[in-house]
Amino acid sequence: MANMVGTVTPFDSQSQSWEEYCEILQHFFEANEITEAAKQKAILLSTVGSQTYSLLRNLLSPVKPGTKTFEELVDLLKEHFNPKPSEIVQRFKFNSRSREEGESVLEYVAVLRKLAHDCNYGEKLTEMLRDRLVCGINDDRIQRRLLAESELTFEKALKIAQALETANKDVKDLQAQRSETSTAMRVHKTSVKQDSQGRACYRCGNLQHLANECRFISEKCHKCGKQGHIMKVCRSTSSIRETTFQGGERRKQVVARGGQRSHYVSREEKSESDEEGIFTVHSLKETEIPKVAPLTITLAVNDFKIPFEVDTGCGVTVINGSNFSKLWEEHKKPELKTCSLKLKTYTGQALPVLGSVQVVVRHKGTVKELPVVVVPGTGPNLLGRGWIKELGMKWEAIHKIQGVEKLTLPDVLSHHTELFKEELGELKGPPAKIYVDKEATPRFFKARPVPYAMKAKVEVEIERLLRNNIIEPVKHSEWAAPVVPVLKPDNTVRLCGDYKLTVNRVSKLEQYPIPRLDDLFATLSGGQKFTKLDMSHAYHQIALDEESKKYVTVNTHKGLFTYRVLPFGVSSSPAIFQRTIEGVLQGLPYVAVFLDDILVTGRNDEEHLQMLARVLERLQEAGLRLKRSKCTFMEKEVQFFRIR
């Protein structure tokens, strides 16, 4: 094609549609003033590529492609690559498509236009686009505005929706800026008051207001009983305890948690007179007791891992609104029951209660449906005596494993013998999902020949995978990747699917960052000794959902098998695994996760063992397993990342 404007590349059905390719051809013809049908046909056949040309020969056999006209060849390939879809199905897809979360108005409209392509709406297209935009916008404010318009056209609806979307973003930016300005002004006012007053407010210790402006001016101190200040700044040497009532019985109670103020207060059971008794949870001054980290435990609530602070002073269990929203899908979230329970903060302020709800809780083989109180915000979740009793927890064991008593490495490991069992673990919770466009063309490859010397080893590995329920045989499949046997140092074989030929070409890559070395070093900074925990058959401990299994089918000389679990070789597997394990261990300091290696440290041996106990507890609760022979405990150095 010397002296031609532009070039025409071979057709690739994986990256473009046949219609797009034909449009490129037409532009090429126009740019080079090629109008002769015979020449257009010759260019098509010479540039379309060997695979597509071979396909044409098969479709026309025994007739040669050169005997057909350009239009006939184009129509033939169009019918093959883009068969006309069902108009009924396409209209169903169009009419059921709503705007997704995070999708802009323009992106939503672009999707609607694409879906309408084969709906055959004709002159009613703009009217149908208008109706679907209004009904599927998924924004009450925009929807009300559009429905209030008379003689609404599609162009007008799009313009209004875009304007409201932009205005909403601008308002958020202004509010954020106003919040920063307001904070700066408050800081400035505080510095002025400090300069003039010379000290903090004696009623509450706050630096941002004067004593005559303090909201605790009428508050009664829970230490000395006098009015006008709170216990935190009380200077009295005498003290009283908060007295509350339950069923007519007078009771005194002060609870301290490691020198930290408790976030919530809870009442116990209702009294006989059905009145709401309140037990206020306070803290002592930091100088009176040493700081101790709160006792924490992770429980499976509706199959989601939720961390709780153990609080035996609470009769009920409390969960924050942020964690509550994760327990159900948005459309399945139950309505909260009205709850007359009263909660207070340590300063005596009323804490709003959103309501109560029943949840399914799992702990060491015990499964119970238990009530939980939901409060707004992101404060810590509190595990009360009710759940502790119902789940059969032994308080002494929790107390010991959290580090209140001096721990030793044998103590920690002896509490988690189940974690080091030889059997394959299985993560509790929702299965992993591989996202593939439902319209993607299936890819099937035949099994590759296995060297005779490795055939027996491959068959042994297939038997092991079947025995451990890692794979299962299938009779037929639209998807199949050939396997690649890899010889391991112990002379056994690992089977890996060559998924770059199949699912990796069409799946959406999981977007989750694998930590950099700098991130790992920052997390472990300050540690004196290091523990490395190695996951046993790491990826295989995460189950796959039913829809994803068909994409990871492998073809062997023994037949077709599909993976029940997350396989090696799928491009999204590392990100899925990293996200899952970080979720299990979230919130733990001095703990770093790098794929199947978990590193634990601490500033001293005691803190190290406390962190190790909490990590092992979470992994065991999650149903996972570690390979004991590959774990290293409390060494001066460990190797966890090898550059090849």
Side-chain angles (χ1 to χ4, degrees):
M1 294 188 187
N3 302 322
M4 290 268 186
V5 177
T7 58
V8 180
T9 59
F11 172 63
D12 183 3
S13 61
Q14 297 297 320
S15 61
Q16 62 187 150
S17 68
W18 177 248
E19 287 186 353
E20 291 172 343
Y21 187 77
C22 290
E23 290 175 6
I24 294 173
L25 270 178
Q26 290 298 334
H27 293 311
F28 179 80
F29 294 155
E30 290 179 12
N32 295 281
E33 298 181 354
I34 301 172
T35 57
E36 297 176 22
K39 194 169 185 179
Q40 290 180 348
K41 179 181 69 174
I43 292 175
L44 170 66
L45 293 175
S46 61
T47 60
V48 77
S50 58
Q51 288 186 347
T52 309
Y53 186 83
S54 178
L55 174 64
L56 272 173
R57 291 194 63 188
N58 293 336
L59 292 174
L60 292 170
S61 181
V63 179
K64 299 294 184 182
T67 62
K68 298 292 183 179
T69 65
F70 175 80
E71 288 76 13
E72 288 173 336
L73 293 174
V74 168
D75 291 341
L76 180 64
L77 288 175
K78 180 180 179 181
E79 186 178 347
H80 175 80
F81 287 114
N82 305 107
K84 187 172 180 60
S86 168
E87 185 178 293
I88 296 174
V89 173
Q90 292 304 110
R91 289 190 176 189
F92 169 77
K93 290 181 179 180
F94 176 85
N95 290 311
S96 60
R97 179 60 158 86
S98 297
R99 187 166 71 124
E100 297 176 351
E101 185 177 355
E103 191 174 44
S104 70
V105 173
L106 278 180
E107 289 172 337
Y108 177 49
V109 169
V111 173
L112 290 180
R113 287 186 180 277
K114 181 179 179 181
L115 291 174
H117 186 268
D118 294 304
C119 290
N120 196 25
Y121 283 133
E123 295 180 355
K124 287 196 171 185
L125 175 60
T126 55
E127 184 179 328
M128 298 303 295
L129 287 170
R130 178 202 63 185
D131 294 351
R132 192 64 232 149
L133 174 61
V134 175
C135 295
I137 194 69
N138 270 354
D139 187 308
D140 291 345
R141 189 171 54 87
I142 297 177
Q143 203 168 44
R144 282 195 295 268
R145 176 71 173 81
L146 294 176
L147 291 173
E149 285 290 321
S150 60
E151 299 181 2
L152 183 68
T153 63
F154 169 67
E155 290 75 15
K156 188 176 182 181
L158 178 58
K159 187 175 181 180
I160 292 173
Q162 281 185 272
L164 290 175
E165 182 183 48
T166 304
N168 187 45
K169 292 178 181 178
D170 292 342
V171 167
K172 287 182 179 179
D173 291 341
L174 288 173
Q175 289 176 344
Q177 183 65 32
R178 188 184 306 159
S179 175
E180 293 176 3
T181 306
S182 176
T183 302
M185 291 177 65
R186 286 199 300 271
V187 172
H188 176 68
K189 288 175 69 177
T190 299
S191 63
V192 173
K193 289 180 180 179
Q194 284 179 290
D195 291 340
S196 60
Q197 190 73 3
R199 55 188 171 85
C201 170
Y202 68 85
R203 300 187 189 278
C204 68
N206 201 316
L207 297 173
Q208 297 186 8
H209 58 253
L210 303 178
N212 60 354
E213 301 172 350
C214 184
R215 59 192 177 89
F216 298 110
I217 194 168
S218 301
E219 184 72 15
K220 182 180 178 181
C221 175
H222 295 295
K223 180 180 180 184
C224 66
K226 296 180 181 179
Q227 188 175 358
H229 64 272
I230 58 177
M231 185 180 66
K232 183 177 71 170
V233 294
C234 183
R235 301 175 184 176
S236 174
T237 55
S238 60
S239 64
I240 64 170
R241 290 189 174 185
E242 180 75 11
T243 303
T244 61
F245 299 89
Q246 179 189 5
E249 177 186 358
R250 181 174 292 269
R251 185 181 292 184
K252 299 179 181 180
Q253 178 181 0
V254 175
V255 180
R257 189 187 297 138
Q260 299 176 350
R261 303 181 184 88
S262 175
H263 295 259
Y264 306 131
V265 197
S266 99
R267 77 168 183 91
E268 290 193 353
E269 298 78 9
K270 289 186 178 181
S271 66
E272 294 177 0
S273 60
D274 209 32
E275 294 181 354
E276 297 292 337
I278 306 292
F279 281 95
T280 308
V281 182
H282 297 289
S283 70
L284 302 177
K285 291 183 179 179
E286 294 183 359
T287 55
E288 296 177 10
I289 58 174
K291 274 194 174 183
V292 180
L295 309 184
T296 61
I297 188 171
T298 299
L299 297 176
V301 182
N302 285 8
D303 290 328
F304 286 89
K305 300 298 178 183
I306 303 295
F308 289 89
E309 289 188 11
V310 181
D311 191 343
T312 56
C314 286
V316 296
T317 295
V318 180
I319 189 172
N320 64 53
S322 176
N323 283 141
F324 167 73
S325 63
K326 300 176 183 177
L327 301 182
W328 288 275
E329 295 180 18
E330 190 63 32
H331 64 285
K332 295 183 180 179
K333 191 177 295 182
E335 186 175 350
L336 290 172
K337 296 180 181 178
T338 303
C339 182
S340 58
L341 184 71
K342 297 178 182 178
L343 302 180
K344 290 183 180 179
T345 64
Y346 75 98
T347 58
Q349 292 176 285
L351 184 69
V353 175
L354 299 177
S356 64
V357 70
Q358 294 288 120
V359 293
V360 177
V361 188
R362 300 176 186 269
H363 175 68
K364 291 186 176 179
T366 302
V367 181
K368 293 241 180 160
E369 187 174 0
L370 300 173
V372 65
V373 178
V374 184
V375 298
T378 58
N381 310 303
L382 299 186
L383 177 64
R385 291 193 305 277
W387 278 26
I388 292 176
K389 180 180 178 181
E390 290 289 339
L391 296 173
M393 296 181 180
K394 294 182 179 179
W395 163 245
E396 295 80 3
I398 299 174
H399 198 248
K400 180 176 181 181
I401 205 66
Q402 291 290 330
V404 177
E405 297 182 12
K406 188 173 182 62
L407 290 176
T408 64
L409 182 59
D411 286 337
V412 174
L413 297 182
S414 66
H415 277 83
H416 303 93
T417 54
E418 185 179 351
L419 190 60
F420 297 101
K421 288 183 177 179
E422 290 298 323
E423 64 190 31
L424 185 69
E426 184 172 349
L427 179 75
K428 298 176 183 177
K433 182 176 179 62
I434 299 172
Y435 292 92
V436 175
D437 190 338
K438 292 183 178 180
E439 297 180 357
T441 304
R443 301 178 66 83
F444 185 97
F445 290 84
K446 65 180 182 179
R448 290 172 180 165
V450 179
Y452 182 78
M454 293 187 68
K455 185 170 291 187
K457 293 184 174 65
V458 169
E459 291 175 358
V460 168
E461 177 64 6
I462 291 175
E463 288 299 322
R464 186 190 71 81
L465 296 175
L466 285 170
R467 188 171 57 252
N468 292 326
N469 273 339
I470 294 173
I471 61 175
E472 57 188 12
V474 292
K475 293 182 178 179
H476 56 82
S477 176
E478 292 182 318
W479 297 80
V483 293
V484 180
V486 179
L487 192 63
K488 298 195 291 186
D490 60 0
N491 208 32
T492 60
V493 164
R494 173 183 289 132
L495 291 183
C496 298
D498 194 359
Y499 293 118
K500 68 177 182 291
L501 300 176
T502 58
V503 65
N504 288 352
R505 295 175 66 98
V506 294
S507 64
K508 298 177 182 177
L509 187 63
E510 190 83 12
Q511 297 299 323
Y512 194 86
I514 304 299
R516 302 173 302 162
L517 281 178
D518 292 345
D519 300 328
L520 298 174
F521 291 148
T523 302
L524 303 172
S525 176
Q528 299 300 310
K529 295 179 181 178
F530 302 92
T531 290
K532 185 183 77 168
L533 305 175
D534 189 273
M535 302 285 288
S536 177
H537 302 287
Y539 290 6
H540 293 170
Q541 299 193 48
I542 300 178
L544 269 182
D545 74 343
E546 288 299 323
E547 180 67 20
S548 300
K549 289 180 182 178
K550 65 182 181 182
Y551 302 123
V552 294
T553 302
V554 292
N555 205 345
T556 75
H557 71 284
K558 299 289 287 184
L560 293 170
F561 299 90
T562 188
Y563 277 85
R564 297 179 58 257
V565 295
L566 191 65
F568 295 93
V570 174
S571 56
S572 291
S573 289
I576 292 173
F577 186 82
Q578 181 75 26
R579 183 194 65 218
T580 302
I581 302 304
E582 284 189 8
V584 171
L585 301 177
Q586 65 177 342
L588 295 182
Y590 297 108
V591 178
V593 178
F594 186 81
L595 298 177
D596 58 346
D597 283 336
I598 301 170
L599 293 107
V600 185
T601 187
R603 291 169 293 186
N604 50 56
D605 286 357
E606 183 179 359
E607 186 176 52
H608 188 144
L609 287 169
Q610 290 177 15
M611 288 300 106
L612 178 59
R614 295 171 70 181
V615 169
L616 296 182
E617 180 69 23
R618 290 201 185 182
L619 293 175
Q620 186 166 298
E621 287 290 329
L624 300 171
R625 294 288 183 269
L626 298 176
K627 195 163 188 176
R628 181 68 175 82
S629 60
K630 289 191 176 181
C631 293
T632 305
F633 298 98
M634 302 191 72
E635 296 290 342
K636 285 290 185 181
E637 63 179 36
V638 293
Q639 184 180 42
F640 67 93
F641 186 84
R642 182 178 299 170
I643 300 176
R644 296 174 179 173

